[in-house]
Amino acid sequence: MKLASTLALLALALATEGCNTCRAPSGSGLTAGEARYFVNTDGYGVALEGHDAVTFFSENRPVQGSKRWQTRFGGATYWFASEGNLKTFEADPKKYEPAFGGYCGYAASIDRVSPVDVNYFQILDGRLVLQHNQKALDKWNEDVPANRKKADANWPGLLAKNARGEQVLVNVDDDGLALEGHDPVAYFTDHRPIPGKPEFQSNYNGATYRFASMEHRVDFENAPETYVPAYGGYCGYAASINKVSSVNVHIFQMVDGRLVLQHTPKAYRLFNEDLQGNLERADQNWPGLVACKGR
């Protein structure tokens, strides 16, 4: 066998590695008593796009942190510009973590989830509040007290709807993009993958999603769990046999209102030989795969 073929088979084996030692907890979803988080992070679980949470307070500006000085808190990793700032954060992390999970304050005030630009921020009564862009900041500032009250009232519901456990397993590329940059909403509305645009994107549970239009981005932010692919965007058939595998974004189907992607035409065929049975097995296996393979 040629070396190239051997390497290809090895790569496939690694891509579809099983999780025989990590079984799903009884039932589905989070285990009993597991903490729930909803924090705006990149594909590597880092909050604030890697900026130092402390400098928003001490220097009134975002400063890029370093992975040399990092810590975990509340379901996210935070980077810092110095060891001193790391120690300051660890002494009182709740003081420095961003409000509304690091998502847009104005979006929360209208009961939506939206990413942020770390350059648009305010310190309000000792809380770091970030906004999506200048327009969101201007809308927020039209009535700060009322918008804060609405955002605070909406946040528990947004958290309950979107929260996850400490571990997350999402199929993203090196830039943190899900679905290879294709629009998740288009699978539902156009019944085909359509490339998204960088100007229309949103972060959700450790992944960046791009959209073909602002309308699709708004639809997603109003109900992200409706549109995110099942099994973290990994292969549905692989999940049904307790494995994790990459996908071809052009091989998909809608099953009970869920976007299910597959690795190859063979995986699609095998999954559909017993659609309901494989779907149930994938659902049962997925929490264990997240616990075993997630970050």
Side-chain angles (χ1 to χ4, degrees), residues 13-197:
L14 291 173
T16 58
E17 182 181 357
C19 200
N20 295 325
T21 60
C22 300
R23 294 298 177 185
S26 59
S28 60
L30 299 172
T31 56
E34 183 179 355
R36 297 169 63 87
Y37 303 104
F38 184 47
V39 186
N40 186 8
T41 62
D42 63 16
Y44 304 97
V46 179
L48 295 171
E49 300 173 5
H51 290 80
D52 185 329
V54 175
T55 62
F56 288 93
F57 294 81
S58 63
E59 301 183 33
N60 196 38
R61 65 189 180 102
V63 174
Q64 184 64 46
S66 168
K67 61 181 179 182
R68 177 182 177 186
W69 297 296
Q70 62 174 278
T71 192
R72 290 283 297 173
F73 177 74
T77 296
Y78 291 86
W79 289 4
F80 302 91
S82 69
E83 184 179 6
N85 282 1
L86 166 60
K87 291 180 178 178
T88 297
F89 180 91
E90 289 182 329
D92 190 2
K94 285 192 170 293
K95 175 179 178 180
Y96 297 103
E97 68 171 341
F100 313 118
Y103 287 99
C104 174
Y106 176 68
S109 76
I110 56 174
D111 207 25
R112 277 177 47 195
V113 175
S114 181
V116 298
D117 182 329
V118 295
N119 294 292
Y120 296 98
F121 75 94
Q122 297 164 305
I123 305 297
L124 300 173
D125 292 337
R127 302 166 69 194
L128 171 59
V129 180
L130 299 135
Q131 304 293 348
H132 176 63
N133 53 24
Q134 185 64 53
K135 181 179 179 181
L137 179 61
D138 291 341
K139 288 283 189 181
W140 174 266
N141 284 332
E142 287 178 3
D143 191 344
V144 173
N147 284 328
R148 283 179 59 191
K149 185 175 181 179
K150 287 185 284 188
D152 285 335
N154 290 336
W155 184 247
L158 291 169
L159 179 62
K161 184 165 59 175
N162 298 292
R164 57 172 174 78
E166 179 83 19
Q167 296 286 94
V168 63
L169 183 59
V170 186
N171 188 6
V172 297
D173 64 15
D174 290 342
D175 295 319
L177 278 177
L179 295 170
E180 298 175 6
H182 289 80
D183 182 338
V185 177
Y187 285 93
F188 292 81
T189 59
D190 295 72
H191 312 294
R192 63 190 176 97
I194 296 177
K197 300 177 181 178

